[in-house]
C-alpha cells in the first residue's frame, strides 16, 4: 500500500504545473494534499478509480486539505471537533478498516512568532486527538507539520533556532507526540540521511538545497513493522514542497 502526502501550495497553481501528471506517475492508494487554497467548486479535479474528500477553510484562498483514495473509507471527519481549530480546513481524517489516516496542515507560527501561543494550544489538542484515535486503531498521520524536528532536518539550524518552524517549543511538541506512541517513519528508516521537503522560493534556496524537512509520515509505533519504505521525492517540482511517500505491506 502506497501513500503520498504533498503540500501543493495552491492546488489550482500546482495543477497548472503538472499536478495531474505527477498524481498518475506516483500511482498511490492514498494521495493526501495540504494547502489546497480552494473553495468547493473552484476546480473540477477527479481521477478514475479514486474517491476524493475535501476540507476547505472558511477563508478563501487559504489552507485546506484533501485526500484522494482508491479505498472507500468507513467514515470521514473534518477537523478535530474543536471549534477554535476547525475553521481553517487543516485536518481531514479517514477511518479505514484497520487504521485511521489523518491528513494535517499544521498552523505556522508566523513571522515574529505571532501565532506561537496558538500553535502550542493546537499541538496539545491535536496530540490528544491522535491519542484518542490511537486507542481505537493504529494511526497514519501525514502532512506539512510545519516543524523541522532535529538539526539534521534543516540546512542552517543555528541561524534558524528562534524562527517559526524551528523554535524549541515546536520541536519539543513534536518530541512529545513521538513519545506518546508514534514514530517518524523517514527518520526511523534513514537515521542519518539529510533530505529536505521544503525550500523557500527566495534566494534560490532549492537550487542550493537550503531546505527544511517539515513534511512527514508519522505512524503508531505498532504499525512500524509493516512499513517497508519512507521516501522524499526531491526531484518533483510544482510547489515549494515536494511529495513524501510511505509504503506498507
Amino acid at each position: 500500500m502506497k501513500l503520498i502526502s504533498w503540500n501543493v501550495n495552491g492546488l489550482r497553481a500546482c495543477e497548472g504545473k503538472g499536478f495531474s501528471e505527477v498524481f498518475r506517475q506516483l500511482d498511490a492508494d492514498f494521495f493526501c494534499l495540504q494547502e489546497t487554497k480552494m473553495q468547493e467548486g473552484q476546480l473540477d479535479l477527479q481521477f478514475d478509480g479514486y474517491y476524493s474528500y475535501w476540507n476547505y477553510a472558511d477563508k478563501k484562498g487559504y489552507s485546506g486539505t484533501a485526500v484522494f483514495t482508491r479505498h472507500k473509507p468507513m467514515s470521514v471527519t473534518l477537523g478535530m471537533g474543536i471549534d477554535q481549530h476547525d475553521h481553517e480546513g487543516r485536518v481531514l481524517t479517514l477511518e479505514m478498516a484497520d487504521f485511521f489516516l489523518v491528513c494535517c496542515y499544521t498552523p505556522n507560527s508566523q513571522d515574529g512568532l505571532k501565532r506561537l501561543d496558538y500553535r502550542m494550544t493546537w499541538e496539545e489538542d491535536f496530540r490528544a486527538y491522535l491519542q484518542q484515535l490511537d486507542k481505537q486503531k493504529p494511526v497514519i498521520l501525514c502532512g506539512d507539520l510545519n516543524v523541522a524536528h532535529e538539526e539534521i532536518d534543516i540546512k542552517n539550524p543555528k541561524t534558524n533556532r528562534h524562527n517559526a518552524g524551528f523554535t524549541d517549543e515546536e520541536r519539543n511538541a513534536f518530541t512529545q507526540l513521538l513519545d506518546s506512541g508514534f514514530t517518524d517513519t523517514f527518520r526511523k528508516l534513514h537515521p542519518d540521511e539529510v533530505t529536505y521537503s521544503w525550500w523557500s522560493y527566495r534566494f534560490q534556496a532549492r537550487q542550493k538545497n537550503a531546505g527544511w524537512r517539515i513534511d512527514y509520515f508519522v505512524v503508531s509505533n505498532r504499525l512500524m513493522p509493516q512499513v517497508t519504505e519512507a521516501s522524499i521525492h526531491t526531484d518533483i517540482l510544482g510547489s515549494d514542497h515536494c511529495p513524501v511517500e510511505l509504503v506498507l505491506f
Side-chain angles (χ1 to χ4, degrees):
M1 181 175 70
K2 180 196 281 193
L3 301 93
I4 294 288
S5 176
W6 194 9
N7 178 322
V8 291
N9 191 16
L11 183 55
R12 287 171 293 171
C14 192
E15 174 62 10
K17 300 172 185 175
F19 172 80
S20 289
E21 289 78 6
V22 171
F23 183 96
R24 295 185 183 96
Q25 169 196 332
L26 291 175
D27 191 31
D29 294 281
F30 296 87
F31 204 117
C32 305
L33 308 180
Q34 304 87 44
E35 209 172 355
T36 54
K37 295 184 178 179
M38 280 175 43
Q39 304 301 122
E40 188 170 8
Q42 287 188 309
L43 181 66
D44 183 21
L45 189 63
Q46 300 177 35
F47 297 97
D48 288 345
Y50 286 86
Y51 304 94
S52 63
Y53 303 95
W54 304 78
N55 192 3
Y56 304 103
D58 293 354
K59 180 180 175 182
K60 289 184 178 179
Y62 182 72
S63 190
T65 48
V67 177
F68 292 89
T69 171
R70 287 189 170 120
H71 311 281
K72 190 169 185 178
M74 298 166 62
S75 66
V76 177
T77 303
L78 308 185
M80 51 175 139
I82 300 173
D83 186 70
Q84 180 185 9
H85 303 310
D86 288 352
H87 292 274
E88 297 183 354
R90 293 185 177 275
V91 179
L92 182 55
T93 303
L94 274 59
E95 180 182 2
M96 310 306 294
D98 299 321
F99 61 90
F100 288 102
L101 174 62
V102 181
C103 175
C104 176
Y105 177 39
T106 299
N108 190 300
S109 294
Q110 299 184 348
D111 291 342
L113 304 180
K114 294 192 296 279
R115 223 180 179 198
L116 182 60
D117 288 346
Y118 169 69
R119 167 70 177 265
M120 290 300 101
T121 301
W122 162 282
E123 292 283 359
E124 191 169 323
D125 291 341
F126 187 56
R127 184 171 66 254
Y129 174 71
L130 295 174
Q131 288 174 302
Q132 282 300 119
L133 295 179
D134 189 49
K135 288 177 181 176
Q136 302 171 58
K137 59 183 78 171
V139 173
I140 300 172
L141 163 66
C142 69
D144 174 2
L145 303 186
N146 257 318
V147 61
H149 185 214
E150 304 286 359
E151 290 193 353
I152 192 175
D153 298 315
I154 187 169
K155 178 68 173 181
N156 298 303
K158 289 182 173 58
T159 55
N160 278 296
R161 182 168 173 198
H162 300 294
N163 289 340
F166 199 63
T167 62
D168 293 350
E169 293 91 336
E170 291 162 313
R171 294 169 66 196
N172 289 339
F174 193 80
T175 299
Q176 282 184 278
L177 173 62
L178 299 182
D179 288 348
S180 70
F182 297 90
T183 301
D184 172 357
T185 57
F186 180 84
R187 189 51 67 214
K188 181 71 172 179
L189 295 182
H190 308 280
D192 303 314
E193 186 174 323
V194 177
T195 307
Y196 306 124
S197 67
W198 174 79
W199 305 261
S200 170
Y201 278 136
R202 297 181 293 174
F203 313 122
Q204 295 182 309
R206 192 155 187 171
Q207 293 90 320
K208 298 173 182 175
N209 198 29
W212 302 42
R213 187 176 74 95
I214 59 176
D215 301 271
Y216 295 85
F217 273 99
V218 172
V219 302
S220 298
N221 288 343
R222 61 193 185 279
L223 269 184
M224 269 311 294
Q226 295 173 240
V227 173
T228 58
E229 185 53 275
S231 53
I232 300 176
H233 291 278
T234 55
D235 58 319
I236 293 178
L237 307 178
S239 168
D240 52 350
H241 297 249
C242 71
V244 296
E245 177 178 322
L246 182 71
V247 180
L248 304 95
F249 66 80

